[in-house]
């Protein structure tokens, strides 16, 4: 239930998208009242951390558009770069999730492990496009992955949820 109302769920994404478009069309034509359509992320999105563990940045069922920001650091002394491995799934272990993309962030000034602060931002717009960026807080250096390969995301979101006030 969402907002105390039953949620219409379908497991077949194409059928779900067609049903959502049909409902949205009827709402726009004033044929249906009392329904709200919400686009959500169906499967959590996160990044790999040391030890092959996925940290979820965006939890499943989060409404879009949205932006989430997390701060990460280095695992070793004098580490000058990090790999940002973007994953989708619900499992703790990286090997049990799906890789969306991976990019290399270089130019981190030498420091003791845990000192550098890398701000990683995940931004999903209203169309369901994911943008990932990373900024070294000490230098201001930014890596912008303006469009993560959407074909990996298309089978997961956006999803239309219908909330029925009549029931």
């Amino acid at each position: 239930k969402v907002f105390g109302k039953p949620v219409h769920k379908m497991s077949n994404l194409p059928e779900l998208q067609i049903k959502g478009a049909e409902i949205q069309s009827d709402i726009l034509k004033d044929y249906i009242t009392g329904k709200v359509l919400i686009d959500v992320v169906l499967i959590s999105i996160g990044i790999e951390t040391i030890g092959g563990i996925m940290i979820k940045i965006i939890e499943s069922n989060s409404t879009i558009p949205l932006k989430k920001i997390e701060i990460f650091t280095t695992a070793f002394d004098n580490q000058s770069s990090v790999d940002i491995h973007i994953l989708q799934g619900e499992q703790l272990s990286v090997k049990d999730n799906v890789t969306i993309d991976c990019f290399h962030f270089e130019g981190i000034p030498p420091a003791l492990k845990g000192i550098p602060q890398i701000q990683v931002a995940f931004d999903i717009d209203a169309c369901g496009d994911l943008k990932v960026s990373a900024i070294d807080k000490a230098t201001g250096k930014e890596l912008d992955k303006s469009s993560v390969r959407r074909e990996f995301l298309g089978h997961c979101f956006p999803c239309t949820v219908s909330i029925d006030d009549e029931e």
Side-chain angles (χ1 to χ4, degrees), residues 104-154:
H104 194 69
F105 186 78
E106 297 179 322
I108 301 169
L112 296 175
K113 68 180 177 181
I115 300 295
Q117 292 189 333
I118 311 301
Q119 177 180 295
V120 180
F122 282 56
D123 190 3
I124 303 176
D125 66 17
C127 295
D129 293 327
L130 173 63
K131 177 181 174 182
V132 178
S133 60
I135 299 172
D136 178 353
K137 302 272 285 181
T139 65
K141 179 180 176 170
E142 183 172 3
L143 178 63
D144 185 4
K145 194 73 168 175
S146 59
S147 62
V148 172
R149 294 177 283 180
R150 188 172 182 182
E151 64 268 20
F152 288 103
L153 304 175

Side-chain angles (χ1 to χ4, degrees), residues 3-54:
F3 306 116
K5 304 292 181 186
V7 177
H8 178 75
K9 293 182 182 180
M10 296 174 133
S11 59
N12 183 318
L13 185 63
E15 286 179 25
L16 187 62
Q17 290 172 325
I18 291 168
K19 184 69 172 170
E22 178 185 317
I23 293 168
Q24 184 65 38
S25 173
D26 287 347
I27 290 171
L28 292 173
K29 293 177 191 173
D30 289 329
Y31 294 154
I32 297 177
T33 59
K35 290 194 183 244
V36 178
L37 296 181
I38 303 170
D39 287 335
V40 298
V41 177
L42 289 180
I43 301 173
S44 298
I45 301 171
I47 66 172
E48 179 178 3
T49 60
I50 194 159
I53 303 298
M54 181 178 108

Side-chain angles (χ1 to χ4, degrees), residues 63-78:
T63 59
I64 61 173
L66 68 93
K67 184 171 187 171
K68 297 281 184 165
I69 298 171
E70 293 285 338
I71 304 289
F72 294 92
T73 190
T74 53
F76 307 104
D77 290 345
N78 300 315

Side-chain angles (χ1 to χ4, degrees), residues 74-126:
T74 53
F76 307 104
D77 290 345
N78 300 315
Q79 186 174 341
S80 62
S81 66
V82 293
D83 288 322
I84 300 176
H85 183 191
I86 306 163
L87 300 152
Q88 188 170 45
E90 302 303 331
Q91 304 305 313
L92 188 60
S93 175
V94 165
K95 67 180 176 53
D96 296 326
N97 295 299
V98 176
T99 294
I100 295 174
D101 209 344
C102 189
F103 56 97
H104 194 69
F105 186 78
E106 297 179 322
I108 301 169
L112 296 175
K113 68 180 177 181
I115 300 295
Q117 292 189 333
I118 311 301
Q119 177 180 295
V120 180
F122 282 56
D123 190 3
I124 303 176
D125 66 17

